[in-house]
Amino acid sequence: MRRLPADPFSDERNARAAPKKGAVRLASFALFTATLAAPVAAQDVDDRRMPGLSSYGVPGHIDMPSAWALPDGSFAFTLNQFGRDIRRATMAFQITPRVTGVFRYSYLDGYLMSGDSLYDRSFDLRYQILTENPDGWRPALSVGLQDFGGTGIFSAEYLVASKTLSETVSASAGIGWGRFGSYGSFSNPLSILSDRFNDRGSFTGIADTGRVGFDRFFRGDAAVFFALDWQATPRLQLSLEYSSDAMDQEVARMGYRHRTPVNLGMEYRFDNGGIFGLSVMHGSEAALSYTLVLDPTRPSAPSGHESAPPAISRGSAATVASWGDISGSPQREALAEALSDQGIRLDGLSFGGGTATVAIRNQQWPNTAQAWGRTARVLSAVLPAEITRFRIRSMDRGLAVRDVTLTRQDLEELEFAPDGAWQIYARADIRDAYTPGPGAPGQIGGPDPRLDLESQASLRFLPYTETAMFDPDNPLRMDFGAELLGEWSPGNGLYFSGAIRQKLVGNIDTSTRVSDSIQQHVRSDAALYAKTTGPKLAFATAEWFSRPGPDLYGRVSAGMFEKMFGGISGELLWAPVERHYALGIELNYVKQRDYDGGLGFFDYDVLTGHASLYYDFGGGYLAQIDAGRYLAGDLGSTLTLTRRFGNGFEVGAFFTLTDISFDDFGEGSFDKGITISLPLSWVTGKPTQQRLGQVIRPIQRDGGARLSVRNRLYGLTRDETDAARGIGWGRFWR
């Protein structure tokens, strides 16, 4: 006789339950799922490349998975209503052409034995072992782990094969374990390898959530499933499925009626990439779903909203001698104005040996190579014809980051060449911009630019939003308010900046959850920082940036770094452009700030810091390993994997393991999350360096918490480094 899995919520005292509150709960859930999909705008998507998606929001049929993969790099945001009592929001991301990652947030009404409802977080990972040979016999073959680190209520593993049988018909067949091995089950065929595959581990309580269940993978009883899809029209797909999920817990806890393993479904596709699904599940319940697919390589707003670039010119008729005193000459002012019209600030200028060296600061373009291209066009038009070489020094926060040298002849020759972007990159001389000291000769020829880093100040009044996710009482809390952001620099790499915030409306302060953490409360008391009224100092820092040596960058910061901590921070980065790796070290001494958002501190202080390794695999993939001491005094390391597309769209995942045990960490077992960051130009089509970002962290505890510091050096210098390696040069002439 098949046994039901052990109840992971038998200890009601540990259960993160949500009491039933009807319409309020539904509205909060809808708002939360809308927030997950907020970056998504309508796109034209090639439906022929898109597989169907299951009720779990992954490539599949109705409830069962398929072996297909999403288009490389794409997102699928799915909202699903399963009967009356189950709702799911899923975000699937095709990390590589073969690897799919999934985050899911579910609401199960009345699931707990007490009658309370459950908000559940889960992660999936899928790998496509084989791609289909459409002209041969080979099917697509995938293996998947579902809910491998959550509560385990959706836990399953599977091996599935899918094949296109004709232009309109495709089918899948697979074997599943866990949930997918619960209907029509039989003894695990893997037991021939070892008896340990006969017994499947289970969660024993909420404290186990977040742990990877290695003792469950492909263990316990197994079952087979089948599915058939028919593409009735270019937009309409009909599906028939034999499901191996008996819905045991839903039957026992929620009164779900499982009458048959046969499911029937349909999907209808819209021009904007949306997919509407309707199905009849297990002969008793209807399910609705809506999926919106986002392709990061295809921006919501097409480019071309920027002004046309100036033409390459053979130069002015003036001579270098006519420029006189460069720092105050009318010609120099004309050059500064021409660059400013292109969103570029002139920070310095010098001449020597037929070479003009200009120090610039990109203030508008999200693509560094495009900023270099615009600068080169202006230089060709404004500078005297006798200047035959342009050395462009890229500056950021007072740091001289990269020197790129171009010849006037190459610019004139390649402006309209079919492969002009590649050829100009191949001919450009790109080097580290470090020089030993003031007035020292440059590496390429001619003196360094005379930097005009005069005092500058800015003051902006902006709206802000702050979110708090995954509180079981309310899955999404949000504050809206106004922020006064100011910055002043006297020059030479020194910056003073700060922001004052005033909340206007929001509900983060209504959280009643009290931290049960046994660690120092460095993050778990976040809700207490939202309960005070009146203006708050979001941050206030003094920063100094320097170049202590070749390929070296330095930063020293002091002040209020974030709403919870302030102190002093120092960082050193070694990042040679010719290497695909970089090394950094950071040391901080900080104290915990008072709840009122002012200048006060609590007694807690800590020395924290990390050594960091950054490795660029190419193709936009970056790995980062940080090892050191965290805010709660725990020792450990964080692994972050990030993928950045050519247009700046970025998605990543991270996890942290420290010497705090899973039991002492509490719910979630260890810190982990997903990051999404996209340039605002991706949404609007207009050039800007502003970005939108969101960290999706299932739960924020005190273990593995790292100090939040603005302008860390690797991120500050990465755009110039990427451009030096050829990334983004397709926009050089735009």
Side-chain angles (χ1 to χ4, degrees), residues 16 18 29 32-33 36 55-56 80 82 85-90 103-109 111 117-123 147 151 153-154 250 470 472 475:
R16 298 293 299 271
F29 187 84
F32 168 74
T33 53
L36 279 186
S55 64
Y56 287 98
N80 181 271
F82 194 98
D85 302 325
I86 301 174
R87 287 173 283 282
R88 298 179 186 138
T90 305
F103 173 70
R104 185 180 302 105
Y105 194 60
S106 306
Y107 171 75
L108 295 90
D109 188 22
Y111 182 84
S117 300
L118 173 71
Y119 286 102
D120 181 75
R121 304 169 291 267
S122 57
F123 292 91
D147 192 6
T151 60
I153 64 172
F154 298 123
E250 288 82 357
F470 307 119

Side-chain angles (χ1 to χ4, degrees), residues 131-140 163-166:
T131 58
E132 180 189 15
N133 179 1
D135 300 320
W137 60 267
R138 187 183 72 226
K163 189 74 178 75
T164 302
L165 305 179
S166 71

Side-chain angles (χ1 to χ4, degrees), residues 646-709:
N647 55 25
F649 196 110
E650 191 173 294
V651 61
F654 65 90
F655 70 88
T656 300
L657 298 176
T658 74
D659 57 0
I660 295 177
S661 69
F662 290 162
D663 289 335
D664 289 343
F665 183 94
E667 183 182 357
S669 300
F670 60 95
D671 190 44
K672 52 192 168 294
I674 298 169
T675 61
I676 299 176
S677 176
L678 66 155
L680 191 59
S681 58
W682 192 94
V683 179
T684 65
K686 298 180 179 180
T688 177
Q689 293 187 313
Q690 291 183 303
R691 301 184 66 87
L692 303 173
Q694 181 66 59
V695 178
I696 301 174
R697 183 183 256 113
I699 190 168
Q700 177 74 77
R701 303 285 286 185
D702 298 311
R706 190 175 181 187
L707 181 69
S708 177
V709 178

Side-chain angles (χ1 to χ4, degrees), residues 45-120:
V45 176
D46 185 352
D47 292 338
R48 292 170 298 178
R49 299 172 59 236
M50 271 300 303
L53 289 108
S54 74
S55 64
Y56 287 98
V58 300
H61 300 275
I62 303 171
D63 205 32
M64 297 290 103
S66 71
W68 314 117
L70 295 168
D72 182 33
S74 62
F75 286 88
F77 296 89
T78 300
L79 305 179
N80 181 271
Q81 175 75 44
F82 194 98
R84 296 173 298 173
D85 302 325
I86 301 174
R87 287 173 283 282
R88 298 179 186 138
T90 305
M91 181 182 70
F93 174 57
Q94 196 65 36
I95 303 170
T96 73
R98 293 180 183 267
V99 178
T100 310
V102 179
F103 173 70
R104 185 180 302 105
Y105 194 60
S106 306
Y107 171 75
L108 295 90
D109 188 22
Y111 182 84
L112 299 174
M113 290 303 187
S114 63
D116 291 332
S117 300
L118 173 71
Y119 286 102
D120 181 75

Side-chain angles (χ1 to χ4, degrees), residues 112 149 258 396 431 482 489 675:
L112 299 174
H258 186 283
D396 199 342
R431 306 189 184 192
S489 173
T675 61

